[in-house]
């Protein structure tokens, strides 16, 4: 779910129809990896800019978190617009900044 607001854009990653099993950590890792790739793609397609927060599914394994950061940075580097991964906030949200070069897609469709 992508929700733009006046001050920032929030992307919320959900588990969908996950029902739980012993390999929840691995399932969350896989979902977050796919979400990182898709979030970077949607930022480019929708021309999102400013502060962007991504609420990934919480992961406990530090190696999985490091891997997620690496994947996210790799996909953000493909963006022709200056886009930076800042860090994870204390609340566990990925903070990204993206330079504004033109109106977001949602604004161009309104008028």
């Amino acid at each position: 779910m992508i929700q733009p607001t006046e001050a920032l854009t929030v992307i919320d990653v959900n588990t969908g129809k996950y029902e739980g099993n012993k390999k929840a950590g691995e399932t969350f890792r896989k979902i977050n990896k796919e979400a990182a790739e898709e979030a970077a793609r949607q930022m480019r397609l929708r021309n999102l800019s400013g502060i962007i927060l991504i609420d990934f599914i919480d992961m406990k394994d530090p190696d999985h978190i490091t891997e997620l950061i690496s994947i996210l940075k790799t996909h953000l580097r493909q963006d022709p617009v200056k886009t930076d991964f800042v860090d994870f906030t204390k609340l566990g949200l990925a903070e990204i900044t993206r330079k504004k070069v033109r109106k977001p897609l949602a604004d161009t469709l309104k008028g």
Side-chain angles (χ1 to χ4, degrees):
M1 176 185 293
I2 300 173
Q3 184 63 48
T5 68
E6 190 72 29
L8 53 90
T9 300
V10 179
I11 300 174
D12 186 24
V13 178
N14 292 312
T15 56
K17 298 191 187 288
Y18 177 73
E19 295 178 8
N21 63 32
K22 292 181 181 178
K23 297 184 181 181
E26 194 58 38
T27 300
F28 296 161
R29 176 178 166 254
K30 181 180 175 188
I31 292 169
N32 280 338
K33 286 170 56 176
E34 292 173 5
E37 180 178 352
E38 186 60 25
R41 188 173 86 82
Q42 289 297 321
M43 282 184 249
R44 289 190 305 272
L45 289 174
R46 297 171 186 242
N47 196 35
L48 302 177
S49 61
I51 298 170
I52 301 162
L53 298 176
I54 304 177
D55 186 7
F56 288 104
I57 301 165
D58 292 337
M59 295 187 296
K60 304 218 185 311
D61 187 330
D63 291 337
H64 291 178
I65 296 167
T66 301
E67 178 186 32
L68 179 62
I69 292 169
S70 175
I71 289 167
L72 187 56
K73 285 181 176 181
T74 297
H75 289 287
L76 293 177
R77 276 194 293 273
Q78 297 171 6
D79 195 333
V81 176
K82 182 171 173 40
T83 306
D84 294 310
F85 170 78
V86 177
D87 202 353
F88 275 96
T89 67
K90 289 182 180 183
L91 296 174
L93 304 172
E95 184 178 357
I96 298 165
T97 60
R98 188 169 187 269
K99 184 177 179 180
K100 184 173 186 171
V101 292
R102 62 184 190 277
K103 288 183 179 182
L105 179 61
D107 289 352
T108 60
L109 297 174
K110 289 179 183 176

